[in-house]
Amino acid sequence: MNRKRTISGLLAGCLCVFAAAPAWAFDNAAADRVLQTAQQKLRATSSDPAIPTNQYPKATTNGPWRLVPNTANHDWVQGFFPGQLWLMYEQGRDPFWRTKADAWTRNLEVQKSNTDIRQITHDLGFKFMNSFGQAYRLTGDDYYRQVTLTAATSLARRFNPTVGVIDCCDWNDGTWHVPMVVDTMMNLELLFWGARNGGDPAWNDMALRHALKTASDMVRADGGTFHVVDYSTSGAILSRKTFQGYSDSSTWARGQAWAIYGFTTAYRYTRDPRMLQAAQKVTDYYLPRLPADSIPNWDFNAPADQQQKDSSAAAIVASALQELSRYVTDATVAQRYRNAALATLDTLASPAYLNSATGGGPGILLHGVAFYRTAIKPQGEDIDKSLIYGDYYLVEAVSRFKLWNQDGWLSTLGFPASVRGLGTGNTGVRIVEFDVTPLSQPIDGVIGYADTSTNVTAYSSLAMAIRMNPSGSFDVRRGAAYAALANVPYQANATYHVRMRTDLNAKTYSVWVRPPGGTEVLVADRFAFRSDAPPTDDLGKVSLKSGHFDNEFRVRNHTVRAETAPAASTRLRTGRAGPARNP
C-alpha cells in the first residue's frame, strides 16, 4: 500500500500533530478487507472442535488459542469472543453467526451473580456488555436483557459508597485496601446502560461518581494516568501506583486507552461536560506521544531497551476516537481525533499488523502485549501475541467506521442529542419525506417532530411520532397512544420510504410507509397530535430517538416542503456522517 505521509517532529505537549493530517488510505475497501479477514478467522475458531462453547480464546501466536473456561470468575476476557461473533452477525444477519454467538454467550450466564462478593469481578462489563448486551441489541430477546441486568446488580455490589468507587478486587488485599484501577472505566457502561433499561436508576450515579473519582484522582495534570489508586476505608488516598505499567510514575498505554474509551462512553450516557473534558484531556496526552505509525509502545515511559508495540491499545483508541470525534464541538479538534483514528486503522489494516486471512495463527491482530516483563511479573505474559481483546476492538473500530462513514442521521439513546433542527417557517400544511433503515430488529425507534420553541427532553415533547415498535412493525402516535391503520412490518437493514402530511393548523397528520419494492401503505390518516405535547405551531425539530441503544436506525434524504411547493423545492437534507457530531 502506497502511503504519503508528512511526519513532523513530535514536540512535547503539541496537540496539533494530527490537525492537518492528509487523507489516510483507510477507506471502505480497507474496512471490508479487515472484516473479511475477521470473518475467516472467526469462522475457523468457532468451528474448531477443540474449542467447546464453555471455553474462550484469550491469546495466541502461530499455535492454537490459549483458552479460559466460562467459570473463571477472575479472568476478564470471556466476553470478547462472543462479542466478535455478534459483530459478525450484525454485518449480514447470517444465522451461522447468531447460532455461534448465542452458544458462547449463554455459557457465560454462570457469572451473572455470586453470593460470595469475593468471586464477583469488577470486569463484569467486559464480560456481559460485549456478549449479552450485544445479543440484546441485535435480537431484542428479553432473556439477554434480564441476564445483563442481573450482572449489573452484581457489579453494583462492589461499589463502595464511602469512597465513591467500584472496589476493583479482593485478590490483592494484602497490598491494597480499597483499590480503583483505570480498567474499571470500561465496565461502567454495564451500570449506565442498566439504569436506563429496567435496572436501578441509582446505578447511573454510582458509575458517574466512579468516573469523576477517576478523573480527579487517577488522571495527572498532564493527562497521563496512574493504573491503580488505593484508598483507605474512609476515602483518603493511600497510594497511586501501577500494576501492569513500567513504573508508578509512567503511563501504561492500554490503561490510557481504557481511560480514553471509558470517559467517552460515560459522556455518551450522561452528557456530563466533565466526562467530555476528561476524555479530551487523556486523548490530548496520548496523541502527541505516538510514533509515526500511530501504534504506541506498551508504556509511554519505558526505556528504549524495554519497548514493545501494543496493537491492542491502538485498536481500543481507534474505536474510541471515532466516537469522541462526534461529540466535541470544535470542528478542528473533531477532525484531528478522527484523523488519528483513521491513521491508526490504516496501520492496523496493513500486513505489518493484520494477520493473513488464510495463514498464520487464529488471531486477527498481531503484536499485542498483555503484560510486559516487570518486577511484578518478571516473565511477563502474552508479549507480541494476538490478544482476543485486541481483535475485538479492531473489529468494533472497523464496524464503527462502516456505520459512521455513510450519509444520513443515526438515532441516539438520549435526549436532547437525538434532535436535529429543521429550520424556521415550516407552518401550515407540510410534506415530510425520508428513508429509514432499521439497523437491528426488533427496535424501539421513534422519528418525532416538535415546535421550534420546544425544548425536547422526553417523548412527550414530540407532537408527531412515527415508530418502529418492539413488535416489529410501524405505528404512529394518535393522541394518547400509538396506533396503525395497517400492519407494515420492518426488517433489519431494509430501507423504507416514509411520507408524512402534517396540518399544523388542524393539529393532525397522516403517514404512509412504502416497503422496499412495494407500494405506499396508509398507516395513519389525520391522526391527532399527541395529547400531552406542548403547543406545536411549526415543524422546527426532528428527534431520532433509540429505545435501547445508540444507532438503532438511520434516516436519509429527510426533506420538508410546503404542500403546494414542487417536490424539488426548499429541502433540508441529511448530510454525510463523516466526522459530524451529534448536536
PDB file of all heavy atoms in Angstrom, residues 163-174:
ATOM      1  N   VAL A 163     -16.177   5.698  49.721  1.00  0.00           N
ATOM      2  CA  VAL A 163     -15.088   6.170  48.863  1.00  0.00           C
ATOM      3  C   VAL A 163     -15.629   6.720  47.546  1.00  0.00           C
ATOM      4  O   VAL A 163     -15.064   7.632  46.953  1.00  0.00           O
ATOM      5  CB  VAL A 163     -14.076   5.035  48.622  1.00  0.00           C
ATOM      6  CG1 VAL A 163     -12.909   5.524  47.774  1.00  0.00           C
ATOM      7  CG2 VAL A 163     -13.573   4.482  49.954  1.00  0.00           C
ATOM      8  N   GLY A 164     -16.733   6.128  47.062  1.00  0.00           N
ATOM      9  CA  GLY A 164     -17.321   6.567  45.807  1.00  0.00           C
ATOM     10  C   GLY A 164     -16.721   5.903  44.595  1.00  0.00           C
ATOM     11  O   GLY A 164     -16.714   6.481  43.503  1.00  0.00           O
ATOM     12  N   VAL A 165     -16.221   4.655  44.769  1.00  0.00           N
ATOM     13  CA  VAL A 165     -15.624   3.922  43.658  1.00  0.00           C
ATOM     14  C   VAL A 165     -16.081   2.471  43.697  1.00  0.00           C
ATOM     15  O   VAL A 165     -16.538   1.969  44.727  1.00  0.00           O
ATOM     16  CB  VAL A 165     -14.081   3.956  43.687  1.00  0.00           C
ATOM     17  CG1 VAL A 165     -13.569   5.387  43.674  1.00  0.00           C
ATOM     18  CG2 VAL A 165     -13.536   3.184  44.881  1.00  0.00           C
ATOM     19  N   ILE A 166     -15.933   1.820  42.549  1.00  0.00           N
ATOM     20  CA  ILE A 166     -16.108   0.381  42.481  1.00  0.00           C
ATOM     21  C   ILE A 166     -14.784  -0.254  42.905  1.00  0.00           C
ATOM     22  O   ILE A 166     -13.764  -0.075  42.237  1.00  0.00           O
ATOM     23  CB  ILE A 166     -16.509  -0.062  41.070  1.00  0.00           C
ATOM     24  CG1 ILE A 166     -17.900   0.477  40.736  1.00  0.00           C
ATOM     25  CG2 ILE A 166     -16.479  -1.580  40.937  1.00  0.00           C
ATOM     26  CD1 ILE A 166     -18.304   0.290  39.299  1.00  0.00           C
ATOM     27  N   ASP A 167     -14.798  -0.937  44.017  1.00  0.00           N
ATOM     28  CA  ASP A 167     -13.618  -1.634  44.532  1.00  0.00           C
ATOM     29  C   ASP A 167     -13.263  -2.724  43.521  1.00  0.00           C
ATOM     30  O   ASP A 167     -14.046  -3.624  43.259  1.00  0.00           O
ATOM     31  CB  ASP A 167     -13.962  -2.243  45.893  1.00  0.00           C
ATOM     32  CG  ASP A 167     -12.774  -2.886  46.592  1.00  0.00           C
ATOM     33  OD1 ASP A 167     -11.829  -3.298  45.900  1.00  0.00           O
ATOM     34  OD2 ASP A 167     -12.815  -3.012  47.828  1.00  0.00           O
ATOM     35  N   CYS A 168     -12.064  -2.626  42.966  1.00  0.00           N
ATOM     36  CA  CYS A 168     -11.756  -3.484  41.824  1.00  0.00           C
ATOM     37  C   CYS A 168     -11.656  -4.953  42.181  1.00  0.00           C
ATOM     38  O   CYS A 168     -12.051  -5.803  41.402  1.00  0.00           O
ATOM     39  CB  CYS A 168     -10.477  -3.028  41.123  1.00  0.00           C
ATOM     40  SG  CYS A 168      -8.956  -3.735  41.767  1.00  0.00           S
ATOM     41  N   CYS A 169     -11.166  -5.274  43.387  1.00  0.00           N
ATOM     42  CA  CYS A 169     -10.854  -6.681  43.599  1.00  0.00           C
ATOM     43  C   CYS A 169     -10.491  -6.959  45.057  1.00  0.00           C
ATOM     44  O   CYS A 169     -10.179  -6.032  45.814  1.00  0.00           O
ATOM     45  CB  CYS A 169      -9.694  -7.107  42.699  1.00  0.00           C
ATOM     46  SG  CYS A 169      -8.349  -5.905  42.648  1.00  0.00           S
ATOM     47  N   ASP A 170     -10.549  -8.216  45.371  1.00  0.00           N
ATOM     48  CA  ASP A 170     -10.191  -8.671  46.711  1.00  0.00           C
ATOM     49  C   ASP A 170      -8.930  -9.537  46.708  1.00  0.00           C
ATOM     50  O   ASP A 170      -8.414  -9.890  47.775  1.00  0.00           O
ATOM     51  CB  ASP A 170     -11.342  -9.489  47.319  1.00  0.00           C
ATOM     52  CG  ASP A 170     -12.619  -8.687  47.400  1.00  0.00           C
ATOM     53  OD1 ASP A 170     -12.635  -7.688  48.130  1.00  0.00           O
ATOM     54  OD2 ASP A 170     -13.597  -9.051  46.721  1.00  0.00           O
ATOM     55  N   TRP A 171      -8.426  -9.871  45.521  1.00  0.00           N
ATOM     56  CA  TRP A 171      -7.329 -10.827  45.459  1.00  0.00           C
ATOM     57  C   TRP A 171      -5.986 -10.233  45.875  1.00  0.00           C
ATOM     58  O   TRP A 171      -5.031 -10.954  46.083  1.00  0.00           O
ATOM     59  CB  TRP A 171      -7.213 -11.434  44.052  1.00  0.00           C
ATOM     60  CG  TRP A 171      -7.242 -10.451  42.917  1.00  0.00           C
ATOM     61  CD1 TRP A 171      -8.314 -10.116  42.155  1.00  0.00           C
ATOM     62  CD2 TRP A 171      -6.148  -9.691  42.405  1.00  0.00           C
ATOM     63  NE1 TRP A 171      -7.976  -9.178  41.207  1.00  0.00           N
ATOM     64  CE2 TRP A 171      -6.646  -8.909  41.329  1.00  0.00           C
ATOM     65  CE3 TRP A 171      -4.793  -9.581  42.746  1.00  0.00           C
ATOM     66  CZ2 TRP A 171      -5.839  -8.042  40.597  1.00  0.00           C
ATOM     67  CZ3 TRP A 171      -3.990  -8.714  42.008  1.00  0.00           C
ATOM     68  CH2 TRP A 171      -4.521  -7.958  40.950  1.00  0.00           C
ATOM     69  N   ASN A 172      -5.903  -8.917  46.022  1.00  0.00           N
ATOM     70  CA  ASN A 172      -4.644  -8.296  46.431  1.00  0.00           C
ATOM     71  C   ASN A 172      -4.817  -7.556  47.759  1.00  0.00           C
ATOM     72  O   ASN A 172      -4.221  -6.508  47.997  1.00  0.00           O
ATOM     73  CB  ASN A 172      -4.151  -7.327  45.346  1.00  0.00           C
ATOM     74  CG  ASN A 172      -2.636  -7.151  45.388  1.00  0.00           C
ATOM     75  OD1 ASN A 172      -1.919  -7.948  45.986  1.00  0.00           O
ATOM     76  ND2 ASN A 172      -2.151  -6.111  44.746  1.00  0.00           N
ATOM     77  N   ASP A 173      -5.658  -8.139  48.631  1.00  0.00           N
ATOM     78  CA  ASP A 173      -5.976  -7.469  49.887  1.00  0.00           C
ATOM     79  C   ASP A 173      -4.760  -7.219  50.769  1.00  0.00           C
ATOM     80  O   ASP A 173      -4.753  -6.276  51.559  1.00  0.00           O
ATOM     81  CB  ASP A 173      -7.002  -8.300  50.669  1.00  0.00           C
ATOM     82  CG  ASP A 173      -8.413  -8.066  50.166  1.00  0.00           C
ATOM     83  OD1 ASP A 173      -8.603  -7.165  49.339  1.00  0.00           O
ATOM     84  OD2 ASP A 173      -9.325  -8.810  50.585  1.00  0.00           O
ATOM     85  N   GLY A 174      -3.743  -8.039  50.651  1.00  0.00           N
ATOM     86  CA  GLY A 174      -2.568  -7.844  51.482  1.00  0.00           C
ATOM     87  C   GLY A 174      -1.818  -6.564  51.158  1.00  0.00           C
ATOM     88  O   GLY A 174      -1.080  -6.034  51.989  1.00  0.00           O
TER      89      GLY A 174
END
